[in-house]
Amino acid sequence: MNIVVCVKYVPDAQADRTFNASDNTTDRENVDGLLSELDEYAVEAALKIVEAGEGEVTVLTVGPDQAADAIKKALQMGAHKGVHVKDDAIHGSDAPATSLVLAEAIKKLTADSPADLVITGMASTDGTMGVVPAMLAERLGLPAVTYAAELTVDGGTATIRRDGDVSTQTIEATLPALVSVTDQINEPRYPSFKGIMAAKKKPVEQWSLADLGLDAAQVGLDASWTKVDSFAARPPRAQGTIVTDEGDGGEKLAAFLAERKFI
Amino acid sequence: MAEVLVLVDHVDGKVRKTTSELLTIARRLGEPSAVFIGSGFDAAKETLAKFGAAKVYRVESPDVLGHLIAPQAELLAQLVGSASPAAVLIPSNAEGKEIAARLAIKTESGLITDAVDVKPREGGGVATTQSVFAGSYTVEATITKGTPIVTVKPNSAAPEEAPAAAADEVVDFAPSEAAKSARITESKEKQATGRPELTEAAIVVSGGRGTSGDFAPVEALADSLGAAVGASRAAVDAGWYPHTSQVGQTGKQVSPQLYVACGISGAIQHRAGMQTSKTIVAVNKDNEAPIFELVDFGVVGDLFKVLPQATEAIKAAKG
Ligand SMILES: Cc1cc2nc3c(=O)[nH]c(=O)nc-3n(C[C@H](O)[C@H](O)[C@H](O)COP(=O)(O)OP(=O)(O)OC[C@H]3O[C@@H](n4cnc5c(N)ncnc54)[C@H](O)[C@@H]3O)c2cc1C
Ligand SMILES: Cc1cc2nc3c(=O)[nH]c(=O)nc-3n(C[C@H](O)[C@H](O)[C@H](O)COP(=O)(O)OP(=O)(O)OC[C@H]3O[C@@H](n4cnc5c(N)ncnc54)[C@H](O)[C@@H]3O)c2cc1C
């Protein structure tokens, strides 16, 4: 079983995330980044499947130079090889443009060795759109089962459990298929010392747009189908009233709610 | 006036409040046409008419329902082709965002997700507002290609009535074989709680690890206020409350009039799901809990003492 896992390099949510004032794009240079936490679940899901049988896990990222860190972390966890698509022209790509690059990279990867599964996270921790998996499935013509809280692969079928609002569903798709996983699916492993050493010798390919047969005019800020006009930091909330409970905290709370007309 | 397609969110014809919000927003951009997939149209019609749907495109095919996302996106793409709408508005939940994603690729159109406001743009098109990076930034954006597709968060507009015909038109639609390649093989219905739906509730009361697994005081306070109950991931991971009640980055994003956090520390991933609430209240025994940075009103104290007292006072006030 060969699996491609899409991993995104994102600015750390614990840092002060912001935008570039020059073109309203996300600041990915001056804010520390890392492998999107939610993609660790995708890597773990892929490793579990391959370890239970055979095959290889390839991690794929589209991002700037530093995005190599995201690949490194996934290789340390146990993935077998990495592909890093980077090209200055990709800067500022929106979701449709990003999915185009990812889709072409997956086509190139699987032309040499077909993949049975493409696994992604449920959403990135920066854009948080949760749309790239569906866009990829659409572009690649793959069946998609998304938001997997459980994943089993048996014979030629992927089966997932999805925890929806009105019901819990079991959903099936015939391989090859795309699966997106939630943070309910597993407990991602920490890289072991052995894993960290081994990762140093694992192959990472670097591809440019030209390697994918794409033209700079098809991606990036100018080719994007959406445009950010402005951004503004949310004004800090006014300091609220904080009381310490001295036996009447609940009453004070109720009085506040009454004053604000919630009662 | 150009049509604006609104994908109806409903359970067997019971229309969710988000749909009335979307219809209200759609009227700013053109004439709303609802898209109703599934059974129960007769029950839904009244609400759709009340909030301004001039037309309703209707599909009942079980083929669409048994197969999730892809067929719904195909249907919308067909309607975008035939109706040339000014925009397509879709509820911003997991399923809606995926439908929108596929629709964007199919129709080569730009997509904005999680909009908290949508307006006509000077010179044509639509202008959107998003709240990003866990609520710390507000972004204004526009769609520059194709038919603007926007997924809109619940509570982004106050529903306004504007009676219209809701004239239904059954759409001739058959999903492609490819769209049927993922199939639902089993579906277990969840038990209704009798409380309002989390994302559309005006008031949400949430419990975290500080409940030590006892949600009774949280639920009692919620019921006294007619509120929905939410939970932090710590509470969900411990098995104390269902995952579908989780508020935060990987749970639900809520934006109620009032959010009450009980025994929740206020981690960034939790804030991502509740920071845009209008009024925020917290009860936490640690006066240094980060949640207090957000609150309009906070009580430093034991939730097992504070919540029951507040509940009693609320009940007494309500008579
Ligand atoms: C705050 C903010 C708001 C934005 N709003 C919009 C918008 O409304 N419309 C729009 O078109 N664009 C928007 N963008 C841009 C968009 O986020 C990026 O184009 C991004 O590359 C794709 O969307 P996502 O990060 O939300 O991915 P998601 O769809 O949330 O990602 C899901 C999964 O796809 C995979 N994946 C995503 N990106 C990559 C990558 N670069 N490399 C490898 N795997 C990847 C990962 O497995 C990930 O877990 C926004 C960006 C930001 C920072
Ligand atoms: C990828 C990822 C995604 C995540 N997504 C989410 C998400 O969607 N939603 C989410 O909530 N979290 C999410 N988290 C987890 C998040 O980081 C925190 O771990 C979580 O929010 C903590 O939950 P908590 O506040 O209930 O628990 P804690 O942080 O342990 O806080 C418990 C609080 O209760 C207080 N307390 C204890 N006893 C009492 C008492 N008797 N009375 C009053 N107060 C008391 C304590 O002082 C403390 O402040 C995510 C994490 C990751 C890594």
Side-chain angles (χ1 to χ4, degrees):
Chain A
M1 175 108 5
N2 288 324
I3 304 178
V4 178
V5 183
C6 298
V7 296
K8 188 177 184 186
Y9 177 78
V10 298
D12 189 345
Q14 307 294 344
D16 286 326
R17 295 179 289 181
T18 185
F19 295 88
N20 295 308
S22 57
D23 62 0
N24 295 345
T25 58
T26 308
D27 188 343
R28 298 183 190 277
E29 314 264 296
N30 303 307
V31 181
D32 281 345
L34 75 182
L35 166 62
S36 176
E37 276 172 317
L38 293 174
D39 292 344
E40 291 182 18
Y41 298 87
V43 174
E44 180 67 37
L47 291 175
K48 281 219 165 77
I49 293 169
V50 165
E51 284 164 2
E54 54 184 23
E56 270 193 344
V57 176
T58 306
V59 287
L60 166 65
T61 196
V62 172
D65 289 342
Q66 308 91 299
D69 283 356
I71 292 187
K72 188 164 122 194
K73 173 87 186 269
L75 295 178
Q76 291 174 343
M77 286 174 72
H80 300 82
K81 53 189 209 264
V83 173
H84 183 175
V85 182
K86 62 173 178 179
D87 199 308
D88 289 344
I90 297 172
H91 170 82
S93 291
D94 67 356
T98 303
S99 70
L100 175 67
V101 179
L102 281 170
E104 290 307 315
I106 291 170
K107 281 184 199 162
K108 183 174 158 77
L109 256 175
T110 52
D112 306 337
S113 64
D116 307 278
L117 274 176
V118 175
I119 304 185
T120 72
M122 62 184 275
S124 69
T125 56
D126 57 346
T128 71
M129 295 179 72
V131 297
V132 168
M135 286 182 172
L136 275 179
E138 187 67 37
R139 289 191 185 277
L140 295 167
L142 286 178
V145 284
T146 50
Y147 294 93
E150 213 176 280
L151 165 66
T152 48
V153 181
D154 197 7
T157 308
T159 306
I160 69 150
R161 176 173 61 85
R162 182 200 271 195
D163 210 8
D165 277 339
V166 271
S167 59
T168 298
Q169 297 171 325
T170 308
I171 308 166
E172 272 180 17
T174 308
L175 302 184
L178 180 139
V179 179
S180 83
V181 303
T182 72
D183 61 340
Q184 300 287 304
I185 195 167
N186 56 39
E187 199 58 58
R189 69 193 66 181
Y190 289 102
S192 63
F193 179 71
K194 214 172 122 212
I196 292 170
M197 296 316 285
K200 296 189 173 150
K201 294 191 213 84
K202 290 177 178 170
V204 179
E205 287 195 49
Q206 290 181 357
W207 293 347
S208 66
L209 285 175
D211 292 324
L212 302 180
L214 286 170
D215 191 272
Q218 290 172 277
V219 299
L221 198 54
D222 292 338
S224 285
W225 301 346
T226 47
K227 182 172 167 292
V228 174
D229 291 323
S230 67
F231 62 89
R234 194 173 212 268
R237 281 187 168 259
Q239 174 68 50
T241 310
I242 294 170
V243 300
T244 301
D245 180 32
E246 280 158 359
D248 59 354
E251 274 152 20
K252 284 190 174 148
L253 173 52
F256 170 80
L257 297 180
E259 179 198 310
R260 293 285 177 107
K261 309 253 178 302
F262 289 113
I263 307 178
Chain B
M1 211 181 349
E3 290 178 44
V4 176
L5 299 182
V6 170
L7 183 62
V8 177
D9 193 1
H10 72 101
V11 182
D12 296 329
K14 193 172 172 294
V15 179
R16 291 218 162 137
K17 190 170 126 232
T18 43
T19 302
S20 359
E21 295 165 1
L22 259 54
L23 288 169
T24 303
I25 291 173
R27 296 205 304 271
R28 303 174 189 161
L29 309 171
E31 189 171 68
S33 293
V35 180
F36 186 92
I37 301 172
S39 58
F41 173 67
D42 289 343
K45 179 167 175 160
E46 196 190 339
T47 314
L48 301 179
K50 187 155 95 183
F51 291 99
K55 219 188 258 177
V56 184
Y57 295 107
R58 191 149 79 82
V59 174
E60 273 189 359
S61 158
D63 254 8
V64 178
L65 296 175
H67 292 94
L68 296 167
I69 307 296
Q72 300 192 51
E74 275 187 356
L75 168 69
L76 286 176
Q78 178 179 321
L79 291 172
V80 165
S82 59
S84 309
V88 183
L89 304 183
I90 297 175
S92 217
N93 50 37
E95 180 167 301
K97 290 208 271 188
E98 265 191 77
I99 294 170
R102 286 182 178 264
L103 180 63
I105 300 302
K106 281 182 197 298
T107 61
E108 301 199 356
S109 299
L111 164 66
I112 297 286
T113 56
D114 299 308
V116 294
D117 199 11
V118 186
K119 291 194 228 78
R121 178 163 178 261
E122 272 176 59
V126 300
T128 64
T129 308
Q130 290 164 296
S131 173
V132 306
F133 293 155
S136 57
Y137 277 87
T138 302
V139 167
E140 309 282 338
T142 47
I143 290 166
T144 52
K145 177 132 193 298
T147 304
I149 303 169
V150 185
T151 76
V152 185
K153 280 192 161 188
N155 292 338
S156 294
E160 286 161 23
E161 295 184 16
D168 64 315
E169 184 181 318
V170 176
V171 183
D172 190 14
F173 170 72
S176 69
E177 283 309 311
K180 295 195 284 185
S181 57
R183 54 211 167 261
I184 303 171
T185 54
E186 199 187 322
S187 189
K188 270 194 231 128
E189 302 304 309
K190 293 237 158 88
Q191 265 189 340
T193 60
R195 297 195 178 92
E197 210 273 322
L198 190 55
T199 55
E200 51 188 52
I203 304 179
V204 175
V205 180
S206 291
R209 203 194 306 270
T211 63
S212 306
D214 180 4
F215 263 64
V218 173
E219 291 183 334
L221 177 63
D223 291 342
S224 73
L225 291 164
V229 175
S232 73
R233 179 170 155 188
V236 168
D237 283 354
W240 302 337
Y241 230 67
H243 174 61
T244 42
S245 302
Q246 181 178 316
V247 172
Q249 186 183 29
T250 53
K252 297 279 156 50
Q253 269 102 60
V254 302
S255 196
Q257 295 299 319
L258 170 65
Y259 187 84
V260 186
C262 311
I264 292 177
S265 61
I268 182 90
Q269 295 91 349
H270 189 78
R271 294 156 82 132
M274 46 66 72
Q275 196 150 9
T276 55
S277 306
K278 308 293 174 301
T279 300
I280 298 175
V281 169
V283 179
N284 194 306
K285 67 180 184 190
D286 173 9
N287 69 352
E288 285 181 2
I291 191 79
F292 284 127
E293 291 162 17
L294 297 181
V295 299
D296 295 284
F297 190 83
V299 181
V300 180
D302 184 348
L303 69 89
F304 290 98
K305 299 204 175 94
V306 176
L307 300 194
Q309 190 181 62
T311 307
E312 283 317 309
I314 291 163
K315 282 194 194 151
K318 285 191 168 176

